[in-house]
Amino acid sequence: MSDLKAAAKLAISCLDLTNLNDDCTEEDVRELCARARTPHGNTAAVCLWPRFVPVAKEALAGSGIRIATVVNFPGGMDEVDDVLDLTEQAVRDGADEIDMVIPYPKLIEGHAGDVSSLVRRIRKAGDGALVKSILETGMLANADTVRAACKAALDGGAHFLKTSTGKVPVNATPTSARLLLEAIRDNGDPSIGFKPAGGVKTTEDARDYINLANEIMGDGWATPQTFRLGASGVLTALLATLNDADAPNAAEGY
């Protein structure tokens, strides 16, 4: 197997196959769940709006594919009680993972403690669910602000650092990915995971993020337990690589 094919196979196993479109329907969710079972193995998870968690739970029964959903999404400034209620309901409905947007406008204003507090409270409300903190790195002014976001999320107990919502002009980039991975490395707990999201379009993109993660964290670190790719269209490209088919045109959006 070529290096690119090996990367494609690993990327599928680490993929959070995503539909966070505003017009998403139950039929779209069932189609997403069907796509998550591929001839080359299952994706790690599907990621969808909270209202669709029960649909996904039914569609994925027995598959081992995890269900991720989003809270405080996408702006990061919802009422805290509403965010906690939504988290609790999502977990009751069957969510395994909570991708939560940090209140990054407050972080930009210097209130890092608000970020840590919200992560901590969502962890408690999630009652054992995996908590991925979305830093929205494309909205943070500079590397120091990104590092502050990483520290605040980690101080709150985030299980994963995630770059982006996919809903702003600049999403995952190699530069932001390196900052998040260095923060995880320097934190000293290699079980904390990393998820680039938005802008992962091609097999080469996926391979490059895998290689970057392993460069910073150590060979073999990137597994579904510690590394996820947040994307919707890249699965088509990964399957084309494994099937020796022509690569599709890079999809727009997430």
Side-chain angles (χ1 to χ4, degrees):
M1 181 178 289
S2 71
D3 288 346
L4 193 60
K5 284 188 174 182
K9 190 169 180 62
L10 176 58
I12 287 174
S13 75
C14 294
L15 181 61
D16 286 0
L17 187 63
T18 299
N19 188 333
L20 294 170
N21 296 333
D22 292 337
D23 60 354
C24 184
T25 66
E26 287 193 12
E27 182 179 350
D28 293 332
V29 170
R30 293 185 190 282
E31 180 182 340
L32 188 79
C33 292
R35 288 184 65 221
R37 295 176 163 107
T38 89
H40 299 281
N42 292 343
T43 68
V46 298
C47 185
L48 33 78
W49 295 109
R51 65 184 179 274
F52 294 124
V53 169
V55 180
K57 183 177 181 181
E58 178 186 351
L60 294 173
S63 69
I65 298 169
R66 294 169 67 84
I67 300 170
T69 193
V70 292
V71 301
N72 208 29
F73 188 97
M77 292 296 289
D78 294 350
E79 291 293 331
V80 171
D81 286 347
D82 293 342
V83 174
L84 299 177
D85 288 346
L86 189 59
T87 300
E88 291 173 355
Q89 185 62 55
V91 172
R92 283 195 295 269
D93 287 342
D96 304 295
E97 305 180 0
I98 303 294
D99 289 31
M100 52 85 57
V101 183
I102 67 167
Y104 63 86
K106 290 188 177 182
L107 177 91
I108 292 168
E109 293 171 357
H111 303 297
D114 290 344
V115 174
S116 301
S117 174
L118 184 61
V119 175
R120 194 174 296 114
R121 294 179 73 180
I122 288 176
R123 268 201 60 162
K124 184 176 180 181
D127 193 26
L130 194 74
V131 174
K132 308 193 200 89
S133 289
I134 306 172
L135 308 186
E136 201 66 294
T137 52
M139 299 298 287
L140 304 180
N142 52 50
D144 285 343
T145 310
V146 174
R147 292 187 187 101
C150 293
K151 183 179 187 307
L154 293 171
D155 286 349
H159 297 114
F160 263 70
L161 297 182
K162 176 178 172 180
T163 60
S164 318
T165 61
K167 299 290 188 179
V168 297
V170 177
N171 293 290
T173 66
T175 300
S176 62
R178 180 173 290 276
L179 289 169
L180 271 60
L181 285 160
E182 287 174 347
I184 293 167
R185 178 197 63 197
D186 295 345
N187 184 69
D189 183 354
S191 70
I192 295 169
F194 166 66
K195 178 177 173 179
V200 184
K201 306 294 187 186
T202 67
T203 301
E204 289 79 8
D205 290 338
R207 176 199 60 198
D208 290 347
Y209 281 116
I210 290 168
N211 288 346
L212 180 62
N214 286 333
E215 172 199 327
I216 293 171
M217 296 301 299
D219 286 344
W221 179 82
T223 71
Q225 287 69 47
T226 51
F227 179 85
R228 300 289 181 83
L229 292 162
S232 55
V234 75
L235 180 59
T236 303
L238 298 173
L239 292 172
T241 297
L242 288 164
N243 294 332
D244 295 314
D246 291 335
N249 293 326
E252 295 299 320
Y254 200 93

